[in-house]
Every structure is written in structure tokens, then in C-alpha cells.
Amino acid sequence: MTRPAYRGPLRAVVFDWAGTVIDHGSRAPMGAFVRAFAEFGVAISIADARGPMGLPKWDHIMAVGRLAHVSAAWQARHGHAFGPGDADRIFSVFEPMTVAAVRDHADMIPGAVAAVAACRARGLAIGSTTGYTRPILRELVPLAAAHGYTPDCLVCAGDLAAGRPTPLMMYRCFADLGVFPPEAVVKVDDTAPGIAEGLAAGTWTVGVALTGNEAGLSAEELAALDESARHPIRARASSVLRAAGAHWVIDSVADLPQLLPEIESRLERGETP
């Protein structure tokens, strides 16, 4: 039996963390990945570290280790192909490195707190999912709270049997927030796996181009660029997020409040994600 089209209001927004609401350019995890591999005698580039961003961190390490040139370097250094046991070893140093790194990258993205307040003013619940583990998020949550950001639920990589790009963390948000159906929810993220997570759960998805992983710029670096310099960065990041299936791509989470009426108008017409 076909479920009738949902024509009600939006009920929740689920935000990613690094690169979406905090840590402009998603700098903390990027640096930790590079340093963690270096601890084991293998150099990886910033591009290598950023490629799988958004995945649960163990999965991210595994994806980097399986890159052809990284795998070859690992084989040369350690005498065997990169495997799950190696990912375990790297993760054991990566996690505490990231716990330390987030302390230095905990500034809220400009406009994020105001955007969340605007969502709450519309009656929306605020959820969050992240590729970060609980120990990392335990460090980050009070830092974000001090800046005025406290979401209604926190779902981390490792909380469930699988993380991104599966919908399980989103399902946990639905249950924790008491919101349904999926089309009453918007997922906001700066990475392809985070967009895939929202799509798998059946929500609207909004990609964030200029403040996140794909651009990789600090707030100061971005502010120093004129529009002609921003344009190719925006275009490249937007193309990745659109290819992942994002329904909309905005420069920053600060732009989200202006987009919400359009999403609600689509719902009123009976459209679905």
C-alpha cells in the first residue's frame, strides 16, 4: 500500500559537525590523519586525507590505506599489504590526536549559531550525526556549547552497527527526536558520505560548499578571497556534493534559513526527496 504524500511542515534539521557547523574547512581531522599515518612511516597528502572525509574514522583510515600509492608505500615500509589490523593500529593513535586537535579547531562557522536559532524559531528540532567517535565528540560538545550550539541529539560513528553512508545514524536521530516521516527532515553536510546518509534515510539533503572539507579553507583564508577566486572553489565543491545527490548546495550553513521556505513549499505540493 502506497503511503500518502506528506504535506506537513518540516520537523527537524540534522547537521553534520566539522566543516558544517564548526571547524571551518574541517581542519582538525585532516591534520590528524596525516600525522597518524606518519607515525607508521608512511606519508599521505592532504588530498589523500580529505578524499574519504565524512566516513566513520576507522573506515576512513581503511579507505586511505587502500589507495594504490598508499598501499604500495605501506607494503614497502612494513612488508605486507595494508589491512584491518593496520587500520586498528593507526586508529589507536588517530583518535587521541583528534581529541587534542579539536581543541584548536572549535570555532563555530560564522552564522551557524544564528542559523540554528532560526531553525528553532520555526519549531524545528536539531539533530546531529558525525563521523567522529564518542571520545572525540565528548571533547567537542562543551566547546560548541560555550559558543551557543547544543543540538537536541548526538549520534556518533560507532554508536550503531554501521555509520555513513548507511542511514542508521539518521534513523537514530528520528527516534531520539521523535520526528517522522523522513521527508519532514533536512540533512545538512559538507561531505559526499554525509549527503549519501541523508538520501539513504529518505530526507532532503543540503550540501555546504565553501566552509567544508571540499574547499578546505579556514575562515580567514576564505575571507581573503574575492569572488573571482571563490568561484572555481565553489564550483568544484558543489560538483562533488551534487554528484553525491545533494538536492541543494549552499555556500555556508548561514544560508540555510533562506532555503527552508522553498523546501516547505515543495512539501506542500506533495513532493518528496
Side-chain angles (χ1 to χ4, degrees):
M1 182 177 178
T2 302
R3 178 164 59 86
Y6 175 74
R7 297 178 184 272
L10 288 172
R11 293 178 172 170
V13 180
V14 177
F15 294 98
D16 174 53
W17 279 77
T20 299
V21 295
I22 202 166
D23 185 6
H24 202 293
S26 196
R27 315 279 274 213
M30 176 272 296
F33 281 119
V34 172
R35 293 192 301 275
F37 271 85
E39 286 281 315
F40 293 87
V42 172
I44 66 169
S45 69
I46 291 173
D48 295 335
R50 288 197 179 278
M53 200 70 77
L55 291 176
K57 298 313 173 201
W58 188 94
D59 296 336
H60 187 140
I61 291 166
M62 198 69 201
V64 172
R66 284 176 167 165
L67 294 172
H69 63 284
V70 177
S71 179
W74 191 272
Q75 178 81 41
R77 174 74 179 186
H78 297 282
H80 64 268
F82 189 89
D86 302 307
D88 289 341
R89 293 163 61 205
I90 292 177
F91 183 84
S92 71
V93 300
F94 166 82
E95 188 174 53
M97 282 181 178
T98 308
V99 168
V102 296
R103 299 169 193 151
D104 298 323
H105 297 277
D107 288 340
M108 296 299 296
I109 286 170
V113 172
V116 171
C119 291
R120 290 197 185 279
R122 297 178 70 93
L124 304 180
I126 305 299
S128 71
T129 69
T130 179
Y132 280 155
T133 60
R134 281 280 161 186
I136 298 169
L137 206 63
R138 273 197 295 271
E139 187 71 28
L140 194 54
V141 164
L143 299 173
H147 291 297
Y149 179 59
T150 306
D152 300 319
C153 76
L154 307 165
V155 188
C156 301
D159 286 357
L160 298 163
R164 297 167 178 167
T166 79
L168 297 186
M169 291 200 295
M170 291 295 290
Y171 291 166
R172 173 65 62 82
C173 279
F174 296 167
D176 288 351
L177 298 173
V179 297
F180 61 90
E183 52 265 40
V185 179
V186 180
K187 176 68 197 304
V188 185
D189 207 291
D190 66 303
T191 67
I195 295 297
E197 171 186 51
L199 294 173
T203 71
W204 302 100
T205 57
V206 178
V208 177
L210 288 183
T211 69
N213 178 68
E214 293 301 328
L217 300 173
S218 69
E220 295 74 20
E221 289 168 341
L222 183 63
L225 301 178
D226 61 22
E227 183 54 33
S228 64
R230 290 185 183 203
H231 178 72
I233 298 170
R234 179 188 292 113
R236 184 178 66 250
S238 296
S239 68
V240 170
L241 295 165
R242 291 192 187 281
H247 297 104
W248 293 272
V249 177
I250 55 180
D251 284 354
S252 162
V253 70
D255 303 320
L256 181 66
Q258 289 73 43
L259 179 59
L260 295 178
E262 179 181 344
I263 301 175
E264 289 206 318
S265 70
R266 292 197 178 194
L267 285 174
E268 290 167 3
R269 295 194 298 268
E271 295 184 29
T272 57

